[in-house]
Amino acid sequence: MSTATTLPAARRTTRRLTIRRIAAWIASRATDPRTSLWFVIGFALVHAVLWTLILVKLKAAQDVHMDVAEAYAWGQRFLLGYGKHPPLSGWIAGVWFRIFPVTNWSTYALAMATVSFALVVCWLIALRVVDRRRAFFMVVMLALYPIFNFKGFKYNADLAQLVPLPLLVLAYLNAFEKRSFKSGLWLGFAGMLALMTKYWVVTMIGAIGLAALIHPQRMQFLRSPAPWVAIGTMIVTMIPHLVWLEEVNFVPFTYAGDVYALSSRELNVQLVIGYILHNLGLLAIPTVLGLVALLLGSVPWRPSDVLARIWSRGPNPAVNLPQALNIWIIQLIVAIGPPLGALAFTVYIKTDWGIPLFFLVPLALVAIPSLRFPRMALFSITAVWFVATIATLIAAPSIATQEIASNRVGGSTYAARSELARELTQTWQDRFHSRWAVVVARSDIGEPMTFYSPDHPASLVPGEAWSSGLTSLDEAKRLGFIGVCDTTDPVFLQPCEAWMAEHAKDAEPLVMNTMRFFNGHPGPSTVWKVYLVPPAK
């Protein structure tokens, strides 16, 4: 009798001790100044590897998104701008694909490397605001934020902002604290990097400027050289790009005005509401899971004690209140400002524009002084992240199969553009025994041709006013080109055919059909009108 009742108890004790040992190890590594940096870097690397594997499985039945292919295309030449956007996102892609192969998996690895870099920089930001325990808790909350996992699957100018914007906030907190000439230089360089990624970052730059003016300690900062050195440095370092802007007649602003201006107030309001609800929904996930982890970390769990364990008023040395105030002001402004601006100027505000704007939310929450973070909470939040990640990894192949089964008649990413690119490359080389240099097609067709074709032809969009500068119509006629029109899209088919009739009069017309199969499931069948224009003699 005694043996039967003692062994299970012993096993339970061993299990508790094992969990506590793991929790103690996580807490010690995350809070020890000698190990915490490498622990956070290690966590970010594991996050990047696991989510790259997940995305490879999850997106196995798809081509890469056109934005990813576009970033790759921009990176083929290091220009000072690419028509629609400043150049940094293209430069990053250019460097990446000179190291890694041009394959689907490497695009997902680039996206996850971007968000994992942001995780580490956000941890450095947090150290200026909270103690190391809260800082690591915040990092894992960010890893649970969908922008930093499955929603961040496509590398583009929006996701690329998660490289310079955390650096910009870090540089601002450093300048606000040190108020030195050198800190102003770093802030100016960070501002330049941000602006060279996408002009949308003026929302964050403006929020930082307003935070500096609103903060109770503003006069100490404004009387120092830091803000003025930062402004001067940013302007001087932007001069080459400003010269490019003038040379192209400020075409990125023409693009923004043509594409995002709205005439319908009703549609404008609907889009703003959608933007707000979309981003609130994404932020609810790490917020709720963080709260769950806090509650699980309050062991032994007694309803009467749990609130006292995680909420307590009074002084809290774990929070640097002046810097926390900066974070709260910045995040509040970038949360409220863009929707109000979209309403005021009747602008189409895309949900993806929120991708780089809310990475400070977890820090703003963990910096609430009344919140208390038991040591066990670090284990709990890490366990929640690990279980969610592994569960997604296991489910990814089934999700991919279900997705293609439900997209048999639509969905551009399932339209087998990669197969078309390889077929067109072979056709061109068989006809002309040379490299295929230019593809003429709409962006969502032409950019994948650039990515998937072994010849990586430059993409030219018919009639586009904001050309990337990678090629031109004159160059296309000199080198020869392949024109492609999608017959399944009647809105764009007629203008595409009209452009080909004018500029590809001597072309050899072809019709090609593509269809992808994945795990026995067919994707959509697409018929393409193809125009082969030989090189000029």
Side-chain angles (χ1 to χ4, degrees), residues 72 418 421-422 424-425 436 448-457:
Y72 167 78
S418 54
R422 287 186 281 270
L424 290 177
T425 304
W436 175 22
M449 299 302 106
T450 301
F451 184 85
Y452 285 110
S453 168
D455 288 343
H456 307 299

Side-chain angles (χ1 to χ4, degrees), residues 459-520:
S459 177
L460 180 68
V461 179
E464 186 177 60
W466 39 84
S467 170
S468 65
L470 296 172
T471 189
S472 65
L473 179 57
D474 288 340
E475 186 175 62
K477 290 181 177 179
R478 179 173 59 85
L479 298 176
F481 64 87
I482 298 180
V484 184
C485 297
D486 182 359
T487 64
T488 62
D489 193 336
V491 174
F492 291 98
L493 178 58
Q494 186 174 353
C496 181
E497 290 178 324
W499 191 95
M500 297 299 170
E502 179 181 357
H503 299 286
K505 295 177 181 178
D506 299 326
E508 176 187 351
L510 298 174
V511 175
M512 290 187 175
N513 181 276
T514 58
M515 177 184 286
R516 171 183 282 111
F517 287 86
F518 180 75
N519 287 346

